Amino acid sequence: MTYLDHERYCDEIALQVGQLRELATSGADLSANVPTCPEWSLEQLVRHMGGVLRWVGTMVREQVQEMLPRDQVPLVGGPEEQGDPAALDAWLAETGELAVGALREAGPELKVWTWTDEGSSGFWARRMAHEITIHRADAALTVGAPFDVAPDIAADALDEWLDLVRWVQRTGARDWAANLRGSHRSIHLHATDADPALNAEWLVEIGEDGVTWRRGHEKAMVALRGPLTSVLLAFYGRIPPATPGLEVLGEREALEFWLEHSDFG
């Protein structure tokens, strides 16, 4: 797996925390349902994301070698006050400082428990950068706010998502990608607005043995084309492939199969 620089991930987490705080204190209804995570309200989404950051920050700081139960992390569920934007904002600000501080201090090679076989603080920096990026998109979609993400982060988020699918299928450690296999299907992802140097194109193939992928411009059964941020969100199932600005060319069934069977939840 090829990572971005560790500090780049830390910077992005800090940026995304700040932007999520802005959404939480924008006057939006914190009880509003999150359409992309329908089991959560906006407040529950923010508490979930902050709780995960606190959990990760604590594990990295304490260099744990076994999973730390989340209920052992102070304030992992958020502030006592419910429906209070100011309390939520203060808690999230402190959370970001704790998590980013722990990751910066650790560097990318500290040995720590992870739910994959990578076992490093570098894994957590990458995972948290992309988890909060996608959950900020969930929050933005809930309140009708614009959303964009830096090209290097968006491209790496797609790489990581595909890496995780392959790891899950190889190890059987999670069941959410178990059905991404069968008769041959191929998907080409093409970011039309990216700098050519970023090589923001992917070929994803699904076969009897599961998923394989590589960067590059290659023919496939179906192509999903559009701005990189939109391609990312559509491939994550956050926006429909029919969203204005996106194009689906070829056999839509292959893309629909991916979206049906790649739910991280």
Side-chain angles (χ1 to χ4, degrees):
M1 298 181 184
T2 302
Y3 282 22
L4 302 178
D5 183 78
H6 184 75
E7 285 296 318
R8 179 69 186 91
Y9 292 128
C10 293
D11 289 344
E12 191 64 25
I13 296 167
L15 174 66
Q16 294 289 339
V17 166
Q19 292 175 326
L20 186 58
R21 289 174 59 201
E22 290 176 5
L23 291 173
T25 57
S26 66
D29 180 3
L30 292 176
S31 67
N33 180 255
V34 178
T36 47
C37 302
E39 69 277 17
W40 287 337
S41 67
L42 178 59
E43 180 169 0
Q44 289 171 325
L45 170 69
V46 173
R47 287 174 180 267
H48 164 79
M49 188 64 247
V52 172
L53 284 171
R54 280 187 177 253
W55 177 61
V56 167
T58 300
M59 290 194 295
V60 170
R61 187 173 60 253
E62 297 182 1
Q63 302 180 37
V64 303
Q65 301 304 308
E66 296 181 354
M67 187 185 74
L68 178 68
R70 295 195 190 191
D71 60 8
Q72 294 183 18
V73 178
L75 291 174
V76 72
E80 292 185 7
E81 301 88 342
Q82 298 287 327
D84 185 334
L88 199 61
D89 179 56
W91 171 78
L92 190 56
E94 181 185 64
T95 296
E97 291 175 1
L98 290 170
V100 173
L103 288 165
R104 288 196 198 279
E105 183 177 351
E109 297 180 1
L110 181 74
K111 291 183 179 180
V112 63
W113 177 87
T114 69
W115 52 265
T116 71
D117 52 10
E118 291 185 57
S120 72
S121 49
F123 167 85
W124 284 122
R126 188 189 201 198
R127 179 83 287 277
M128 290 301 95
H130 299 323
E131 175 145 349
I132 193 170
T133 293
I134 296 301
H135 278 326
R136 183 175 68 84
D138 293 325
L141 290 166
T142 301
V143 305
F147 176 84
D148 201 5
V149 61
D152 61 334
I153 292 294
D156 190 66
L158 281 165
D159 284 354
E160 189 221 25
W161 185 213
L162 292 164
D163 284 342
L164 288 175
V165 167
R166 291 195 63 185
W167 179 82
V168 163
Q169 291 192 327
R170 185 178 73 250
T171 63
R174 297 284 192 279
D175 61 8
W176 48 259
N179 293 323
L180 275 173
R181 61 181 76 244
S183 58
H184 181 262
R185 297 173 173 87
S186 58
I187 304 166
H188 176 222
L189 306 177
H190 184 178
T192 55
D193 63 341
D195 187 317
L198 188 59
N199 189 25
E201 297 189 58
W202 294 260
L203 178 70
V204 182
E205 295 185 285
I206 304 168
E208 294 294 343
D209 293 330
V211 173
T212 60
W213 73 276
R214 57 187 176 270
R215 289 275 194 109
H217 181 84
E218 300 186 47
K219 295 292 185 182
M221 294 171 63
V222 64
L224 176 64
R225 293 169 41 91
L228 180 51
T229 293
S230 297
V231 170
L232 170 66
L233 294 184
F235 204 57
Y236 251 93
R238 264 38 191 197
I239 61 174
T243 296
L246 287 171
E247 285 184 290
V248 179
L249 306 174
E251 300 180 37
R252 289 175 174 265
E253 187 275 337
L255 180 59
E256 291 168 355
F257 183 84
W258 169 272
L259 294 173
E260 180 182 355
H261 296 294
S262 62
D263 180 9
F264 202 131

Coordinates of all heavy atoms in Angstrom, one line a residue, residues 20 23 30 32 34 36-37 39-52 88 91-92 131-132 134-142 238:
L20 N -16.1 20.2 10.0 CA -17.3 19.5 10.7 C -17.8 20.4 11.8 O -19.0 20.5 12.0 CB -16.8 18.1 11.2 CG -17.9 17.2 11.7 CD1 -19.0 17.0 10.7 CD2 -17.4 15.9 12.2
L23 N -20.1 23.0 10.4 CA -21.4 22.5 10.0 C -22.3 22.3 11.3 O -23.5 22.6 11.3 CB -21.3 21.2 9.3 CG -20.7 21.3 7.8 CD1 -20.4 19.9 7.3 CD2 -21.6 22.0 6.9
L30 N -29.8 19.9 14.6 CA -29.0 18.7 15.0 C -29.8 17.4 15.0 O -29.2 16.3 15.0 CB -28.3 19.0 16.3 CG -27.2 20.1 16.4 CD1 -26.8 20.3 17.8 CD2 -26.1 19.7 15.5
A32 N -31.8 16.6 12.7 CA -32.1 16.2 11.3 C -31.6 14.8 10.9 O -30.5 14.5 11.3 CB -31.6 17.2 10.3
V34 N -29.8 12.0 8.8 CA -28.7 12.0 7.9 C -29.1 11.1 6.7 O -29.2 9.8 6.9 CB -27.4 11.5 8.5 CG1 -26.2 11.5 7.5 CG2 -27.0 12.5 9.7
T36 N -27.7 9.7 4.2 CA -26.7 8.7 3.8 C -26.4 7.8 4.9 O -25.7 6.7 4.7 CB -25.4 9.4 3.3 OG1 -25.0 10.4 4.2 CG2 -25.6 10.0 1.9
C37 N -26.8 8.1 6.1 CA -26.6 7.2 7.3 C -28.0 7.3 8.1 O -28.0 7.9 9.1 CB -25.5 7.6 8.2 SG -23.9 7.7 7.4
E39 N -29.7 5.8 10.1 CA -29.9 5.4 11.5 C -29.4 6.5 12.4 O -29.6 6.4 13.6 CB -29.1 4.1 11.8 CG -27.6 4.2 11.7 CD -27.0 4.1 10.4 OE1 -27.7 4.3 9.4 OE2 -25.8 3.9 10.3
W40 N -28.9 7.6 11.9 CA -28.3 8.7 12.7 C -29.0 10.0 12.4 O -29.4 10.3 11.3 CB -26.8 8.9 12.4 CG -25.9 7.8 12.9 CD1 -26.2 6.9 14.0 CD2 -24.6 7.5 12.4 NE1 -25.1 6.1 14.1 CE2 -24.1 6.4 13.2 CE3 -23.8 8.0 11.4 CZ2 -22.9 5.8 13.0 CZ3 -22.6 7.4 11.2 CH2 -22.1 6.4 12.0
S41 N -29.0 10.8 13.5 CA -29.3 12.2 13.3 C -28.0 12.9 13.1 O -26.9 12.3 13.2 CB -29.9 12.8 14.6 OG -29.0 12.8 15.6
L42 N -28.0 14.2 12.7 CA -26.8 15.0 12.5 C -25.9 15.0 13.8 O -24.7 14.8 13.7 CB -27.1 16.4 12.1 CG -25.9 17.3 11.8 CD1 -25.0 16.8 10.8 CD2 -26.4 18.7 11.5
E43 N -26.6 15.2 14.9 CA -25.8 15.1 16.2 C -25.2 13.8 16.4 O -24.0 13.7 16.9 CB -26.7 15.5 17.3 CG -25.9 15.5 18.7 CD -26.7 16.2 19.8 OE1 -27.9 16.6 19.6 OE2 -26.2 16.2 20.9
Q44 N -25.9 12.7 16.2 CA -25.3 11.4 16.4 C -24.2 11.1 15.4 O -23.2 10.5 15.8 CB -26.4 10.3 16.2 CG -27.5 10.3 17.3 CD -28.7 9.4 17.0 OE1 -29.1 9.3 15.8 NE2 -29.2 8.8 18.0
L45 N -24.2 11.6 14.2 CA -23.1 11.5 13.3 C -21.9 12.2 13.8 O -20.8 11.6 13.8 CB -23.5 12.1 11.9 CG -22.4 12.3 10.9 CD1 -21.9 10.9 10.4 CD2 -22.8 13.1 9.7
V46 N -22.0 13.4 14.3 CA -20.9 14.2 14.9 C -20.3 13.4 16.1 O -19.1 13.3 16.3 CB -21.3 15.6 15.2 CG1 -20.2 16.3 15.9 CG2 -21.7 16.4 13.9
R47 N -21.2 13.0 17.0 CA -20.7 12.2 18.1 C -20.0 10.9 17.8 O -19.0 10.6 18.4 CB -21.9 11.9 19.1 CG -22.5 13.1 19.8 CD -23.7 12.8 20.6 NE -24.2 14.0 21.3 CZ -23.9 14.3 22.6 NH1 -23.1 13.5 23.3 NH2 -24.4 15.4 23.1
H48 N -20.5 10.2 16.8 CA -19.8 9.0 16.3 C -18.4 9.4 15.8 O -17.5 8.7 16.2 CB -20.6 8.4 15.1 CG -19.8 7.4 14.4 ND1 -19.6 6.1 14.8 CD2 -19.2 7.5 13.2 CE1 -18.8 5.5 13.9 NE2 -18.6 6.3 12.9
M49 N -18.3 10.4 14.9 CA -17.0 10.7 14.4 C -16.1 11.2 15.4 O -14.9 10.7 15.5 CB -17.2 11.8 13.3 CG -15.9 12.0 12.5 SD -15.4 10.6 11.5 CE -13.8 10.2 12.4
G50 N -16.5 12.0 16.3 CA -15.7 12.5 17.4 C -15.3 11.3 18.3 O -14.1 11.2 18.8
G51 N -16.2 10.4 18.6 CA -15.9 9.3 19.4 C -14.8 8.4 18.8 O -13.9 7.9 19.5
V52 N -14.9 8.1 17.5 CA -13.9 7.3 16.9 C -12.5 8.0 17.0 O -11.5 7.3 17.2 CB -14.3 7.1 15.4 CG1 -13.1 6.4 14.7 CG2 -15.5 6.2 15.3
L88 N -21.2 20.7 21.8 CA -20.7 19.7 20.8 C -19.5 20.3 20.1 O -18.5 19.5 19.9 CB -21.8 19.5 19.8 CG -21.7 18.2 18.9 CD1 -21.8 17.0 19.7 CD2 -22.9 18.2 17.9
W91 N -16.4 20.1 22.5 CA -16.0 18.7 22.6 C -15.3 18.2 21.4 O -14.2 17.6 21.5 CB -17.2 17.8 22.9 CG -16.9 16.3 22.8 CD1 -16.4 15.5 23.8 CD2 -17.3 15.4 21.7 NE1 -16.3 14.2 23.3 CE2 -16.9 14.1 22.1 CE3 -17.9 15.6 20.5 CZ2 -17.0 13.0 21.3 CZ3 -18.1 14.5 19.6 CH2 -17.6 13.2 20.0
L92 N -15.8 18.6 20.2 CA -15.2 18.2 19.0 C -13.8 18.9 18.8 O -12.8 18.2 18.3 CB -16.1 18.5 17.8 CG -15.7 17.9 16.4 CD1 -15.5 16.4 16.5 CD2 -16.7 18.2 15.4
E131 N -12.0 8.6 6.9 CA -13.3 8.4 7.6 C -14.0 9.8 7.9 O -15.2 10.0 7.6 CB -13.2 7.7 8.9 CG -14.5 7.6 9.7 CD -14.7 6.3 10.4 OE1 -13.9 5.3 10.2 OE2 -15.6 6.2 11.3
I132 N -13.2 10.7 8.4 CA -13.8 12.0 8.7 C -14.1 12.8 7.4 O -15.1 13.6 7.3 CB -12.9 12.9 9.6 CG1 -13.8 14.1 10.1 CG2 -11.7 13.3 8.9 CD1 -13.1 14.8 11.3
I134 N -15.3 11.4 4.6 CA -16.6 10.9 4.1 C -17.8 11.3 5.1 O -18.9 11.7 4.6 CB -16.6 9.4 4.0 CG1 -15.5 9.0 2.9 CG2 -17.9 8.8 3.7 CD1 -15.8 9.6 1.5
H135 N -17.5 11.3 6.4 CA -18.6 11.7 7.3 C -18.8 13.2 7.3 O -20.0 13.6 7.5 CB -18.2 11.2 8.7 CG -18.6 9.8 9.0 ND1 -19.7 9.2 8.4 CD2 -18.0 8.8 9.7 CE1 -19.7 7.9 8.7 NE2 -18.7 7.7 9.6
R136 N -17.8 14.0 6.9 CA -18.1 15.4 6.7 C -19.0 15.6 5.5 O -19.9 16.4 5.5 CB -16.9 16.3 6.6 CG -17.3 17.8 6.4 CD -16.0 18.7 6.4 NE -15.2 18.5 5.2 CZ -15.5 19.2 4.0 NH1 -16.5 19.9 3.9 NH2 -14.7 19.0 3.0
A137 N -18.8 14.7 4.5 CA -19.7 14.8 3.3 C -21.1 14.4 3.7 O -22.1 15.0 3.3 CB -19.2 13.8 2.2
D138 N -21.3 13.4 4.6 CA -22.6 13.0 5.1 C -23.3 14.2 5.8 O -24.4 14.5 5.6 CB -22.5 11.9 6.1 CG -22.0 10.6 5.5 OD1 -22.4 10.3 4.4 OD2 -21.3 9.8 6.2
A139 N -22.5 15.0 6.6 CA -23.0 16.1 7.3 C -23.4 17.2 6.3 O -24.4 17.9 6.4 CB -22.0 16.6 8.3
A140 N -22.5 17.4 5.3 CA -22.8 18.5 4.3 C -24.0 18.2 3.5 O -24.9 19.1 3.2 CB -21.6 18.6 3.4
L141 N -24.2 16.9 3.1 CA -25.4 16.5 2.4 C -26.7 16.7 3.3 O -27.7 17.0 2.8 CB -25.3 15.1 2.0 CG -24.2 14.8 0.8 CD1 -23.9 13.3 0.7 CD2 -24.7 15.4 -0.5
T142 N -26.5 16.5 4.6 CA -27.7 16.6 5.5 C -28.1 18.1 5.5 O -29.4 18.3 5.5 CB -27.3 16.2 6.9 OG1 -26.9 14.8 6.8 CG2 -28.4 16.3 7.8
R238 N -22.4 7.6 -1.6 CA -23.0 8.8 -0.9 C -23.9 9.7 -1.8 O -24.7 10.4 -1.3 CB -21.8 9.7 -0.4 CG -21.4 9.5 1.1 CD -21.5 8.1 1.6 NE -21.3 8.1 3.1 CZ -21.0 7.0 3.8 NH1 -20.8 5.8 3.1 NH2 -20.9 7.1 5.1

